[in-house]
Amino acid sequence: MAPDHSNENGSIGSSLHGVTAREQVFSFSVEDGPSSQAIRSDDPTAKFALPVDSEHRAKVFKPLSFAKPHMRAFHLGWISFFTCFISTFAAAPLVPVIRDNLDLTKTDIGNAGVASVSGAIFSRLAMGAVCDLLGARYGTAFSLMLSAPAVFSMSFVADAGTYLAVRFMIGFCLATFVSCQYWTSVMFTGKIIGFVNGCAGGWGDMGGGVTQLLMPMVFHVIKLTGATPFTAWRFAFFIPGFLQIIMGILVLTLGQDLPDGNLSTLQKSGQVSKDKFSKVFWFAVKNYRTWILFVLYGFSMGVELTINNVISGYFFDRFNLTLHTAGIVAASFGMANFFARPFGGYASDVAARLFGMRGRLWTLWILQTVGALFCIWLGRASSLPIAILAMMLFSVGTQAACGALFGVAPFVSRRSLGLISGLTGAGGNFGSGVTQLLFFSSSRFSTAEGLSLMGVMAVVCTIPVAFIHFPQWGSMFLRPSQHEERSKEEHYYGGEWTEEEKSLGLHEGSIKFAENSRSERGRKAVLADIPTPETGSPAHV
């Protein structure tokens, strides 16, 4: 059959945009097959290196590419978050040395762990608004560079009070998680967003594992130069501090907010309208799905953050390992993010293709519950091999759940995407603070008991996923609305705009997003919506 060129002029997202069969790059795509359509010079999407949809979001994910703007934003986002994760948890593997130097008690160490994640509750909330109003590029760069002095200050702490205060301030940099997830969400189409967000978040989270190896290694190298242990750990903190400054500069010089350019430039040219913070805030906080995601992330990512603070010390004390060996074992927990979180996002995308949003929700519940059950097992393990096995299975389940959750989050709101990402991310830090205060900040529970109790709490707090219902797609147990209007994506996302705003055309981005989100109905529903020709079979068969 000859290719149809009838909608070629002015069509959006219809070409391969320079992608040829000669490119030897791994890619993940939602394309059903190669396009035979010719690329026209007046095609507005021809400027992109990847095929895009009507919002110019990439439909192909090529992790080995650094093409601007989509893949460049992806790499700048996850590496920035990776760097901040290293800084935030740099103290954890050095705690056995730091506690002797500063005479820290178990309560001091526990409170500092809580402080390290508590600061990000506020910074992640703020970052969501910054992304919606100023763009992800400025948000990421400012977070990196403004928190770098706090990392350097770690070298000068003298007692438990200053140690806690500095760890609190360093934790603010974890807001880069929000800008990272927002950045990828505006750069990639919904059909692959679970996998892309999973890779960005998971590879960034790997910083929690890398720092368990990096900081003891730097510490030992500095000792080899003749420094004492109490001096060596202080100089070690200059490494993550300089990494943050370097990444901040790279983000500002190489990054781009949106597929079509930087947000401020597009606003000045009139291509993107300036939104009101009050409206963005209102539609984020009034959506009950936001708060369920807040709780769910509190006991997936929140549990992971807690583990990053306690796991090295747990193996060091419980199984009498050396500092270096305990660091290697603890690092394996964070390093699993390389594949576990992307796997969760990919599983969410596959489930959505088959069963729609309901598939995404079931995937999230299964992964998070299984991870929590292995957390219970970790606390009850009595031998080193069993403890390591339980930790790895717990790691995969929990981190995959994080990836699956951010396969759902981008669909909660189009207008308030940044703030909802911020609130969800803040839930992770809030959950971590709660679990550390309850189970690891006093002598009431041993670390092993705390791990098991945290797992039980995570199982219970994962149940609310069953209450997330989208009228156009349904929920875990309920079908979509049968109402003619409410069952449409345009009604859900268009409802975030007033009639006056619609008359000005401010809602057009939401309508395009709604059209691109119809895949969340699931394969059967999508096929049912395709009209059958009067003669012959449907075109897709």
Side-chain angles (χ1 to χ4, degrees), residues 295-303 368 398 431 434-435 454 457-458 461:
V295 173
L296 291 172
Y297 205 58
F299 290 90
S300 54
M301 187 62 197
V303 167
Q368 189 155 323
T398 298
V434 168
T435 53
M454 181 170 68
M457 195 171 182
C461 291

Side-chain angles (χ1 to χ4, degrees), residues 89-127:
F89 297 103
L94 300 179
V95 159
V97 179
I98 297 173
R99 69 185 176 189
D100 292 340
N101 188 191
L102 303 180
D103 295 323
L104 302 178
T105 65
K106 181 179 180 180
T107 300
D108 294 330
I109 295 170
N111 289 338
V114 174
S116 69
V117 297
S118 297
I121 296 176
F122 309 104
S123 63
R124 286 185 169 186
L125 289 172
M127 180 63 81

Side-chain angles (χ1 to χ4, degrees), residues 48-69:
F48 299 110
L50 303 177
V52 297
D53 64 14
S54 60
E55 293 183 278
H56 295 173
R57 302 188 190 204
K59 296 192 287 184
V60 171
F61 175 56
K62 295 188 173 183
L64 301 183
S65 167
F66 202 69
K68 185 178 180 180

Side-chain angles (χ1 to χ4, degrees), residues 121-170:
I121 296 176
F122 309 104
S123 63
R124 286 185 169 186
L125 289 172
M127 180 63 81
V130 169
C131 288
D132 280 324
L133 302 176
L134 298 178
R137 185 174 64 101
Y138 280 142
T140 302
F142 290 166
S143 181
L144 285 162
M145 301 183 78
L146 291 178
S147 58
V151 182
F152 292 129
S153 298
M154 195 68 180
S155 302
F156 306 103
V157 297
D159 53 38
T162 53
Y163 175 69
L164 185 148
V166 171
R167 290 209 67 187
F168 175 80
M169 290 186 290
I170 293 174

Side-chain angles (χ1 to χ4, degrees), residues 212-279:
Q212 304 282 352
L213 296 173
L214 176 66
M215 296 307 290
M217 182 182 70
V218 172
F219 168 76
H220 286 296
V221 168
I222 295 174
K223 276 206 310 178
L224 291 176
T225 65
T228 65
F230 290 173
T231 300
W233 76 261
R234 296 175 183 275
F235 278 106
F237 277 87
F238 280 88
I239 300 299
F242 281 122
L243 287 176
Q244 285 195 204
I245 291 177
I246 293 169
M247 279 310 303
I249 295 172
L250 290 176
V251 168
L252 281 177
T253 55
L254 300 178
Q256 181 173 303
D257 291 317
L258 299 168
D260 295 312
N262 288 318
L263 183 60
S264 58
T265 303
L266 295 174
Q267 287 176 337
K268 289 177 181 178
S269 65
Q271 297 180 58
V272 175
S273 58
K274 288 186 177 180
D275 211 340
K276 295 181 179 179
F277 173 74
S278 59
K279 294 290 184 69

Side-chain angles (χ1 to χ4, degrees), residues 146-463:
L146 291 178
S147 58
V151 182
F152 292 129
S153 298
M154 195 68 180
S155 302
F156 306 103
V157 297
D159 53 38
T162 53
Y163 175 69
L164 185 148
V166 171
R167 290 209 67 187
F168 175 80
M169 290 186 290
I170 293 174
F172 275 76
C173 70
L174 287 181
T176 49
F177 167 75
V178 176
S179 57
C180 170
Q181 297 289 278
Y182 177 90
W183 215 349
T184 50
S185 293
V186 298
M187 287 289 182
F188 294 87
T189 191
K191 290 183 180 180
I192 59 172
I193 197 58
F195 184 56
V196 176
N197 276 349
C199 288
W203 297 353
D205 284 346
M206 272 200 313
V210 170
T211 198
Q212 304 282 352
L213 296 173
L214 176 66
M215 296 307 290
M217 182 182 70
V218 172
F219 168 76
H220 286 296
V221 168
I222 295 174
K223 276 206 310 178
L224 291 176
T225 65
T228 65
F230 290 173
T231 300
W233 76 261
R234 296 175 183 275
F235 278 106
F237 277 87
F238 280 88
I239 300 299
F242 281 122
L243 287 176
Q244 285 195 204
I245 291 177
I246 293 169
M247 279 310 303
I249 295 172
L250 290 176
V251 168
L252 281 177
T253 55
L254 300 178
Q256 181 173 303
D257 291 317
L258 299 168
D260 295 312
N262 288 318
L263 183 60
S264 58
T265 303
L266 295 174
Q267 287 176 337
K268 289 177 181 178
S269 65
Q271 297 180 58
V272 175
S273 58
K274 288 186 177 180
D275 211 340
K276 295 181 179 179
F277 173 74
S278 59
K279 294 290 184 69
V280 172
F281 178 80
W282 171 245
F283 284 109
V285 299
K286 83 166 190 173
N287 193 323
Y288 79 92
R289 301 168 192 84
T290 303
W291 301 107
I292 294 180
L293 293 180
F294 179 91
V295 173
L296 291 172
Y297 205 58
F299 290 90
S300 54
M301 187 62 197
V303 167
E304 183 181 344
L305 293 175
T306 297
I307 290 295
N308 284 332
N309 269 327
V310 305
I311 196 65
S312 180
Y314 171 68
F315 279 100
F316 180 85
D317 294 328
R318 184 174 175 85
F319 299 105
N320 299 314
L321 303 181
T322 65
L323 181 66
H324 180 67
T325 304
I328 292 176
V329 174
S332 62
F333 179 89
M335 296 297 285
N337 269 296
F338 180 78
F339 66 88
R341 189 159 179 157
F343 165 74
Y346 179 74
S348 179
D349 289 338
V350 171
R353 253 174 270 150
L354 297 174
F355 308 108
M357 178 57 68
R358 302 176 74 183
R360 290 191 189 273
L361 297 174
W362 273 105
T363 301
L364 171 57
W365 178 80
I366 291 171
L367 291 172
Q368 189 155 323
T369 300
V370 169
L373 292 174
F374 284 123
C375 180
I376 298 173
W377 188 28
L378 172 62
R380 300 176 65 86
S382 57
S383 66
L384 180 60
I386 294 297
I388 293 175
L389 175 62
M391 181 193 70
M392 292 308 301
L393 293 173
F394 160 45
S395 173
V396 171
T398 298
Q399 292 162 7
C402 293
L405 189 146
F406 269 88
V408 176
F411 296 99
V412 171
S413 171
R414 168 64 169 79
R415 186 173 190 178
S416 304
L417 172 62
L419 197 53
I420 287 177
S421 298
L423 284 165
T424 302
N429 292 81
F430 180 80
S432 179
V434 168
T435 53
Q436 289 185 72
L437 277 174
L438 290 177
F439 307 126
F440 303 104
S441 295
S442 69
S443 57
R444 181 180 180 185
F445 302 108
S446 67
T447 303
E449 292 171 334
L451 289 170
S452 292
L453 290 172
M454 181 170 68
V456 172
M457 195 171 182
V459 170
V460 173
C461 291
T462 303
I463 295 174

